[in-house]
Amino acid sequence: MTKIDEKLEPILAEVLRRNAGELEFHQAVIEVMESLGRVIAKKPHYADHALIERLCEPERQIIFRVPWVDDAGQVQINRGFRVQFNSALGPYKGGLRFHPSVNLGIIKFLGFEQIFKNALTGLPIGGGKGGSDFNPRGRSEGEIMRFCQSFMTELQRHLGEYTDVPAGDIGVGGREIGYLFGQFKRLTNRYEAGVLTGKGLVYGGSRARTEATGFGATYFVSSMLATRSMDFEGRKCVVSGSGNVATYTIEKIRQFGGIVIACSDSSGYIIDEDGIDLELLKEIKQVRRERISQYVQMKGAGARYVEDGSIWDVPCEVAMPSATQNELTGKDASTLVKNGVIAVGEGANMPCTPEAVRIFQGAGVLFGPGKAANAGGVATSALEMQQNASRDSWSFEKTEERLAGIMRNIHDNCAETAEEYGAPGDYVLGANIVGFERVAAAMTAFGVI
Ligand code: NDP
Ligand code: 2IT
């Protein structure tokens, strides 16, 4: 661990103590604290009025019961969460995750990251996150719909286009947002389009929102490569996951001339040296909602499925972890470095362990942290809110152009700030400082609240 500034040490100790056992939240806070020493050395007033303590304490945390009836007529109970972390820059904004691993600590880590990420976009959005320990795997359409309706029945009282605006994350895509929006509209009797993002195009969604996170992450890596006069052309890439973020990362890398040779789900990974067949991948994952192992059966010759082991054993020049937190360990990072990786961009939130990040940075690998690299999703959500507010609908080209510009700005702001603070090329430091300073300036203006 990088040494924590001595002024920040007691603050961190207190955060760890009062949030005991929430390991992912601790990990996210420690990483930011490691960057803040340099800020308060230059701008000591940011340590005044317990600003950093307040930043680490969510404004509001909601936990609720979600009862629903399964297809067999049995009553099921899940737990719902919404952590409204920080509203200094705008309404709480951040996705909903439906996955059996969800607990309060995971939602808090995601909400905390979201504060800085959203600030980095330069758009007026605060930070929040929510979800449930509901497992959508193997559930019927009807079960998914009834779960979403029950979840929204409770959550709706906490939402609003000026209050809190959820979107998707793991296990929550266009289908779920449709059920959630339908129930919100029915309960409130208001067509408040800006209350959720990631909506379908026919009812207020934005073009390019589906693609935005993966496209944006690829733009970010492209900007990092450009600092060393390199690009994606002809480079072998590995993208973990095969959900929303992974799929559109693969699509944009292909547009940029790169070759994605492997992707995965939580059961295993596939290798296709010809380059992953994107149309086949979409058919399997988006249309049939099946497992990635199906790819090999449908593609035939050339592709291989590996059930055990790590996707990071596959040699590549660009690695884009796009599945989940802590999926890429120190050991994986060492393997990637040994195999010649030149750039790593986090499509997922916190997919690389702290040890992995240190190994990449120590080896001079370009490393784009999630809060910067995957900010294109939430940025385009803010563009969706803009379109809803003005009752307008933009073309794909216009929206993607805005996204590309935002990603370029995030990259340049992080790079310039890292340099200004004496650590050129350290995008982790740059992202934490840019995000922090924007939020801290607004919090300071508001006084002690
Ligand atoms: P999806 O649900 O669409 O896809 C998730 C993918 O990751 C699936 O392939 C899934 O495999 C795999 N996965 C999930 N959990 C695990 C696990 N515990 N171990 C191994 N693999 C796992 O989610 P998204 O693509 O939307 O999200 C992926 C990541 O990107 C998350 O970290 C999310 O927070 C982040 N993110 C998402 C944004 C968005 O706009 N959607 C924006 C910014 C970040 P399986 O089907 O087997 O579970
Ligand atoms: O982690 C994230 O940034 C998201 N899941 C997207 C959030 C959003 O509000 O679009």
Side-chain angles (χ1 to χ4, degrees), residues 56-223:
C56 294
E57 183 69 16
E59 290 176 15
R60 193 172 297 103
Q61 310 185 52
I62 301 147
I63 303 183
F64 52 99
R65 178 169 72 203
V66 189
W68 56 283
V69 181
D70 69 17
D71 287 348
Q74 298 291 316
V75 175
Q76 301 280 341
I77 313 281
N78 285 100
R79 188 171 284 182
F81 301 89
R82 187 72 182 167
V83 173
Q84 299 181 329
F85 222 120
N86 191 296
S87 61
L89 297 181
Y92 308 108
K93 182 83 197 86
L96 297 171
R97 177 177 291 191
F98 292 170
H99 193 271
S101 64
V102 163
N103 57 40
L104 183 61
I106 288 185
I107 299 299
K108 276 163 71 179
F109 118 65
L110 291 162
F112 187 72
E113 291 273 298
Q114 200 84 46
I115 302 170
F116 305 97
K117 183 196 302 190
N118 294 5
L120 276 165
T121 66
L123 298 164
I125 40 180
K129 200 84 185 191
S132 174
D133 59 2
F134 173 69
N135 186 359
R137 176 98 63 91
R139 290 296 177 188
S140 70
E141 274 294 320
E143 290 176 321
I144 301 272
M145 181 181 75
R146 291 194 296 281
F147 176 81
C148 289
Q149 290 175 338
S150 181
F151 183 86
M152 183 53 90
T153 299
E154 182 57 32
L155 189 63
Q156 57 88 20
R157 71 190 77 246
H158 305 288
L159 306 183
E161 66 170 309
Y162 298 108
T163 308
D164 186 352
V165 183
D169 193 83
I170 292 177
V172 178
R175 172 180 63 175
E176 290 74 21
I177 294 294
Y179 294 143
L180 291 164
F181 185 72
Q183 184 73 350
F184 182 89
K185 187 175 81 60
R186 177 188 185 200
L187 290 167
T188 59
N189 193 30
R190 279 161 67 88
Y191 206 111
E192 190 177 324
V195 76
L196 283 172
T197 60
K199 300 181 295 296
L201 289 186
V202 290
Y203 64 94
S206 172
R207 291 189 179 81
R209 174 61 188 92
T210 306
E211 294 83 357
T213 311
F215 278 21
T218 312
Y219 281 120
F220 190 91
V221 171
S222 170
S223 292

Side-chain angles (χ1 to χ4, degrees), residues 270 280 284 288 290-299 305:
I270 54 166
L280 181 56
I284 293 166
R288 302 186 184 200
E290 281 179 9
R291 309 296 297 159
I292 197 75
S293 54
Q294 279 294 110
Y295 182 95
V296 176
Q297 279 141 48
M298 292 173 73
K299 168 92 196 288
Y305 177 64

Side-chain angles (χ1 to χ4, degrees), residues 178-396:
Y179 294 143
L180 291 164
F181 185 72
Q183 184 73 350
F184 182 89
K185 187 175 81 60
R186 177 188 185 200
L187 290 167
T188 59
N189 193 30
R190 279 161 67 88
Y191 206 111
E192 190 177 324
V195 76
L196 283 172
T197 60
K199 300 181 295 296
L201 289 186
V202 290
Y203 64 94
S206 172
R207 291 189 179 81
R209 174 61 188 92
T210 306
E211 294 83 357
T213 311
F215 278 21
T218 312
Y219 281 120
F220 190 91
V221 171
S222 170
S223 292
M224 291 201 300
L225 289 169
T227 64
R228 296 189 184 167
S229 307
M230 295 188 289
D231 57 28
F232 270 103
E233 190 63 45
R235 295 193 194 278
K236 282 193 179 178
C237 308
V238 169
V239 178
S240 64
S242 49
N244 172 272
V245 179
T247 300
Y248 296 100
T249 298
I250 296 171
E251 184 162 323
K252 187 51 83 179
I253 289 176
R254 191 171 75 170
Q255 284 176 20
F256 282 168
I259 309 150
V260 179
I261 54 167
C263 68
S264 63
D265 60 21
S266 59
S267 311
Y269 64 91
I270 54 166
I271 305 182
D272 188 342
E273 295 286 346
D274 300 339
I276 300 290
D277 179 335
L278 192 60
E279 285 62 44
L280 181 56
L281 180 72
K282 286 183 181 173
E283 168 69 24
I284 293 166
K285 297 295 297 194
Q286 299 180 352
V287 181
R288 302 186 184 200
R289 295 182 183 273
E290 281 179 9
R291 309 296 297 159
I292 197 75
S293 54
Q294 279 294 110
Y295 182 95
V296 176
Q297 279 141 48
M298 292 173 73
K299 168 92 196 288
R304 216 151 44 82
Y305 177 64
V306 182
E307 195 158 356
D308 295 313
S310 167
I311 189 172
W312 309 116
D313 290 343
V314 180
C316 63
E317 289 178 285
V318 178
M320 297 192 61
S322 306
T324 194
Q325 64 274 358
N326 292 325
E327 55 159 309
L328 195 163
T329 64
K331 183 166 169 279
D332 296 325
S334 299
T335 307
L336 283 162
V337 168
K338 184 168 67 66
N339 288 337
V341 76
I342 54 176
V344 177
E346 292 189 320
N349 286 307
M350 213 168 74
C352 298
T353 64
E355 192 194 352
V357 177
R358 270 193 297 281
I359 290 168
F360 289 136
Q361 292 189 325
V365 173
L366 293 163
F367 178 77
K371 59 170 79 72
N374 72 39
V378 75
T380 308
S381 279
L383 301 181
E384 182 170 332
M385 292 163 73
Q386 260 182 52
Q387 292 168 74
N388 295 149
S390 57
R391 305 197 184 283
D392 199 0
S393 164
W394 305 345
S395 69
F396 194 96

